[in-house]
Amino acid sequence: MSAQILDGKAIALALRESIRQTVEQKVAEGQRPPGLAVIMVGEDPASAVYVRNKKLACEKAGFLDVSEVLAEDTTQEALLSRIDELNARDDVHGIIVQLPVPDHIDPETIIERIAPHKDVDGFHPYNMGRLATRMPVLAPCTPHGVMTMLEKTGLPLRGLNAVIVGASNIVGVPMALELLNARATVTVCHSATKDLEQKVRDAELVVVGVGRPNMIPGHWIKSGAIVIDVGINRLDDGSLCGDVEFETAKANASWITPVPGGVGPMTIATLLQNTLKAAYGD
Ligand code: GUN
């Protein structure tokens, strides 16, 4: 078997075009465009690339972009005050602070300061709690984008044995909640997991979000499994690769996401989708 490619880039572009059309229509009706603030503290090069892509997508969709880069030595108090100002603005519907933040800033304190109805990253405990209680409002972008991609395969998720590798607040944990809500049987693996290989070998759906190049050998992938690779790793030669060995995994899987062009573009499209929702409701 050679897997079909789950083309996140194409799915994301179609989603972004439909969002752009909705915004165009709302603005023609006299409503405000959705406003998104992406705040970056410092100049982390990887974050700078993500933030630039988010800004570009925001502008192309017709959103109001109020993104800003704050100096590396910005104090936590100053960042909290900036969030308070953005929380109070009627023309800003979504606020995200790009992670990681410098060590002198506590990310949890920052996330909790964003008004939950403007938390388009879906990281606030209110939004995580809504997802955990099967009443999602603004769900974290990467896992929700993965759900949109999985829908495109047309495969039923109900009863599927899903294995998630990585238990982060951004990917693994909300991914587990999304799949549980879709009635999959979910196993979450992390650095203390025993016999990761056997867990992956048994999986009908594998989602990997660790950030370690090629950590899952392709021959671990069960024949016919769906493989979702959330990792984006830059190698010494400048090329990008995922957390799963692509070519060997592709030979076993039924569907697989490429890196780049898989999950990455879906995260940004879902961020726009969340901001649209924050601006206009469902
Ligand atoms: N850093 C890595 N992924 C993300 C994300 O989805 N949102 C934010 N704010 N920071 C990140």
Side-chain angles (χ1 to χ4, degrees), residues 138-261:
L138 294 169
C141 300
T142 300
H144 197 67
V146 168
M147 296 308 284
T148 305
M149 295 173 95
L150 288 172
E151 266 168 38
K152 299 287 174 197
T153 67
L155 299 171
L157 300 178
R158 190 173 182 279
L160 208 67
N161 288 325
V163 168
I164 298 165
V165 184
S168 68
N169 287 350
I170 296 181
V171 179
V173 169
M175 189 74 251
L177 297 173
E178 289 274 10
L179 288 169
L180 204 53
N181 289 349
R183 312 284 294 133
T185 301
V186 181
T187 303
V188 183
C189 302
H190 44 77
S191 54
T193 295
K194 289 178 212 146
D195 204 355
L196 176 65
E197 174 174 350
Q198 196 55 52
K199 302 267 188 305
V200 172
R201 282 187 181 276
D202 288 341
E204 295 165 309
L205 164 64
V206 190
V207 183
V208 189
V210 174
R212 207 182 312 150
N214 300 319
M215 73 166 284
I216 304 293
H219 67 268
W220 287 8
I221 302 299
K222 190 184 181 76
S223 175
I226 307 164
V227 177
I228 306 290
D229 192 344
V230 184
I232 304 176
N233 308 292
R234 194 166 290 281
L235 300 178
D236 289 341
D237 67 1
S239 65
L240 293 177
C241 81
D243 289 353
V244 180
E245 254 179 14
F246 183 76
E247 289 303 332
T248 36
K250 183 170 175 256
N252 290 333
S254 59
W255 288 90
I256 190 165
T257 59
V259 178

Side-chain angles (χ1 to χ4, degrees), residues 27-94:
V27 170
E29 289 166 8
Q31 298 207 50
R32 284 185 210 271
L36 176 63
V38 179
I39 304 176
M40 185 167 93
V41 185
E43 296 281 356
D44 176 64
S47 290
V49 174
Y50 293 131
V51 168
R52 195 174 60 235
N53 288 338
K54 285 174 186 177
K55 226 174 123 73
L56 244 128
C58 190
E59 284 163 2
K60 281 192 181 161
F63 286 20
L64 171 72
D65 170 39
V66 285
S67 299
E68 55 192 306
V69 179
L70 303 178
E72 175 88 26
D73 62 357
T74 300
T75 63
Q76 178 161 304
E77 273 317 304
L79 179 55
L80 291 172
S81 302
R82 191 69 195 114
I83 291 170
D84 290 342
E85 287 165 16
L86 293 164
N87 278 340
R89 272 175 69 163
D90 289 340
D91 59 343
V92 173
H93 305 91

